[in-house]
Amino acid sequence: MHASRRAGALLKLKPSFAARARWASTTAEKDKYKVVVVGAAADTAFRANPFVGSGGLTVANQIYSRFRAAGKPLAKGDIAILDDAEYHYYQPGWTLVGAGLKEKAETRKPLDSLIPSHLAHIKENVKAFSPQSSSVTTTSGREIGYESLVVATGLQINWGGITGLSKALADPSSGVSSIYSYNTCDKVWKDLDALRSGNAVFTQPAGVVKCAGAPQKIMWMAWDRYQQTGRGDKIKIDFYNGMPTMFSVKKYSDALENLRKERGVGGHFQHNLVSVDTGNRKATFKKSDNSTVDVDYTLLHVVPPMGPLDFIKGSPIADEAGWVAVDKETLRSTKFDNVWAIGDCSSLPTSKTAAAITAQAPVLTENLFSVVDTGKVANANYDGYTSCPLLTGYGQLMLAEFKYGLEPKESFSSYPFFDDQAIPSRFFYHLKKDLFPWAYWNYMLKGSWFGASGFIRPKYPPSTPQ
């Protein structure tokens, strides 16, 4: 049979989880894999997303390790990572770049260098999902089959959602910058440090945002920088937030609101940036009543609107909003039993952060392993844990940790001196600045860092019949 016809015939077959013995690799077929981990579909202007990001690399390595630990190792190349990105980015580091604490080159590494030899790397992106035949189609038209699919594509940053923004970011003298892109995060520091007087405006859109605390982290760092350099009384800082409060979790929101008032930072809520006029240095915001207001700025830090990726919206695996539809506890698709999702692309009702990945990855790994091994999901449940390390100045950080229901779930509150994580701490600051980047590059991406659990993979009780 012709090779393309043989591949097509294989892709039409449903995966049989009853045939457990077939899990060991028995074929050299290059277009069908035991597990396919999918990255993002395309790059857009000013967008340097991590493609197969922290979720994809972490879970691919954890899956491989989990089968080995169970004495059922996968063969080399049984797990494929599908992504054509040249670099992988440590996006939490862009806030540190914007604050002058790191060089942006420290926040990226060649993707090839991060993928171990036991994982296959297919340098293509996905164009379409065909879960009925357990396959995906790449942008080149190639069909790739799988027995289990993990979607870890991240989300889409809609730079074009704000009129004039792309032009402003490309203009070195515009005074407009954003920490949400590798290409512009260093411009944040240049603009911030060069400002001597005037109006510094920081924005946050309504809706989903990668790390919802990041828009104000850079604002607090700017405020502290201006105080330390004697410019505080010459620069007026305002926060224009599309949300109704400073933060979604009341405990931290109240603390941040008090901090805002203490520091004299203007708070303007339910204001969404809709356009930037660099010629007149004006930013236009739409309010909750649909009226608009023009604001003069000298420095403007912009957080663009975000949402699901275009190639996922309307696909068979997506929900009505365009996110990959998954069970919020197991991370398994609510539509297809052999499809899973992790991180920003998923419908999980929690904040989209790298810290959330550390809690999600072992749950997904355990449940996927159990389905393949026994035919049923394990008792591994994700409780919505996420963390947002909120920089409030140089040498100080508020460590917000919470779970579903916007309830605090703090790792240090039971220890002496850390009874209230809403109080900024130098210790927490160094976790963000020094420990987290080190753990990310050396352990998390390799599947051996589990966030609040450190180097110890969480244990789950035996599964029960379902």
Side-chain angles (χ1 to χ4, degrees):
M1 182 184 292
H2 191 276
S4 62
R5 292 182 181 175
R6 183 175 67 251
L10 284 170
L11 294 176
K12 292 178 182 178
L13 295 175
K14 288 278 190 175
S16 174
F17 292 113
R20 310 302 166 199
R22 292 175 53 198
W23 184 258
S25 180
T26 58
T27 175
E29 175 60 58
K30 299 300 183 182
D31 287 329
K32 187 172 183 181
Y33 298 84
K34 302 301 183 184
V35 181
V36 169
V37 178
V38 176
D43 197 11
T44 57
F46 293 108
R47 178 181 172 210
N49 274 359
F51 298 85
V52 165
S54 54
L57 285 168
T58 298
V59 81
N61 280 304
Q62 285 192 22
I63 291 169
Y64 182 82
S65 297
R66 180 67 182 90
F67 277 88
R68 286 181 63 85
K72 302 175 182 181
L74 301 181
K76 181 177 180 180
D78 275 351
I79 301 176
I81 287 181
L82 189 59
D83 197 312
D84 79 345
E86 182 179 1
Y87 293 102
H88 174 88
Y89 299 87
Y90 177 58
Q91 293 185 83
W94 294 344
T95 305
L96 301 175
V97 175
L101 294 170
K102 289 189 181 294
E103 296 295 325
K104 73 176 185 180
E106 298 177 61
T107 69
R108 77 175 186 181
K109 291 185 179 182
L111 180 58
D112 278 342
S113 71
L114 301 174
I115 299 178
S117 60
H118 57 261
L119 301 179
H121 182 196
I122 302 172
K123 296 183 179 181
E124 292 200 58
N125 288 327
V126 169
K127 180 174 67 175
F129 296 94
S130 300
Q132 297 87 350
S133 61
S134 293
S135 66
V136 296
T137 303
T138 70
T139 49
S140 72
R142 178 183 174 188
E143 286 190 336
I144 296 174
Y146 57 80
E147 293 188 14
S148 294
L149 175 71
V150 178
V151 186
T153 57
L155 52 67
Q156 181 164 279
I157 299 181
N158 299 313
W159 300 100
I162 298 172
T163 302
L165 176 58
S166 295
K167 177 182 177 182
L169 290 170
D171 182 351
S173 61
S174 67
V176 180
S177 60
S178 178
I179 58 169
Y180 277 84
S181 165
Y182 179 83
N183 293 337
T184 62
C185 61
D186 54 341
K187 188 176 190 291
V188 175
W189 172 245
K190 292 175 184 175
D191 288 353
L192 183 157
D193 195 46
L195 187 64
R196 293 294 179 267
S197 63
N199 300 326
V201 175
F202 295 81
T203 78
Q204 177 172 341
V208 172
V209 176
K210 294 173 71 69
C211 189
Q216 60 181 294
K217 292 178 193 179
I218 193 63
M219 176 183 74
W220 297 127
M221 299 302 279
W223 180 90
D224 198 26
R225 175 67 176 170
Y226 297 146
Q227 299 302 311
Q228 292 182 16
T229 55
R231 291 176 271 172
D233 59 347
K234 299 177 183 178
I235 299 173
K236 184 177 184 296
I237 295 180
D238 286 281
F239 186 41
Y240 282 80
N241 188 354
M243 306 301 287
T245 59
M246 290 293 288
F247 199 71
S248 58
V249 180
K250 187 178 188 303
K251 174 181 179 176
Y252 307 119
S253 183
D254 289 348
L256 291 164
E257 177 67 5
N258 290 335
L259 190 66
R260 181 188 70 76
K261 291 177 178 177
E262 289 171 7
R263 293 181 171 183
V265 171
H268 310 269
F269 300 97
Q270 294 183 302
H271 282 64
N272 279 295
L273 182 66
V274 293
S275 68
V276 179
D277 179 355
T278 54
N280 295 301
R281 296 263 173 157
K282 288 187 182 294
T284 300
F285 293 87
K286 179 180 285 189
K287 300 194 292 184
S288 57
D289 62 2
N290 287 325
S291 64
T292 60
V293 59
D294 291 335
V295 176
D296 295 322
Y297 70 85
T298 314
L299 177 150
L300 177 65
H301 179 268
V302 178
V303 179
M306 304 176 199
L309 286 153
D310 289 337
F311 83 117
I312 291 181
K313 288 187 288 188
S315 73
I317 64 172
D319 64 12
E320 291 183 357
W323 307 106
V324 182
V326 295
D327 181 274
K328 72 174 189 176
E329 294 182 343
T330 67
L331 282 72
R332 190 184 197 183
S333 169
T334 56
K335 297 183 175 185
F336 302 94
D337 287 348
N338 62 339
V339 175
W340 310 76
I342 189 170
D344 295 356
C345 69
S346 74
S347 63
L348 297 172
T350 189
S351 293
K352 299 180 183 298
T353 68
I357 296 296
T358 65
Q360 294 168 17
V363 171
L364 188 157
T365 295
E366 189 67 23
N367 284 326
L368 186 152
F369 169 78
S370 182
V371 167
V372 170
D373 190 48
T374 70
K376 56 181 179 288
V377 175
N379 285 336
N381 293 324
Y382 174 56
D383 66 359
Y385 171 82
T386 189
S387 175
C388 190
L390 284 153
L391 289 161
T392 54
Y394 293 87
Q396 53 181 285
L397 183 142
M398 180 188 300
L399 186 58
E401 293 181 291
F402 49 100
K403 60 181 180 179
Y404 288 144
L406 302 176
E407 296 180 26
K409 184 184 179 183
E410 298 179 341
S411 302
F412 296 90
S413 59
S414 62
Y415 293 91
F417 310 111
F418 299 114
D419 58 319
D420 188 355
Q421 290 185 199
I423 298 175
S425 159
R426 176 171 285 276
F427 173 74
F428 294 150
Y429 172 80
H430 285 292
L431 290 181
K432 162 73 176 176
K433 177 178 173 291
D434 303 312
L435 177 65
F436 292 163
W438 171 82
Y440 183 88
W441 290 118
N442 292 288
Y443 296 98
M444 181 178 167
L445 296 182
K446 297 175 182 179
S448 54
W449 175 260
F450 303 96
S453 299
F455 298 105
I456 303 173
R457 182 172 63 84
K459 301 293 184 183
Y460 303 102
S463 60
T464 54
Q466 295 183 8

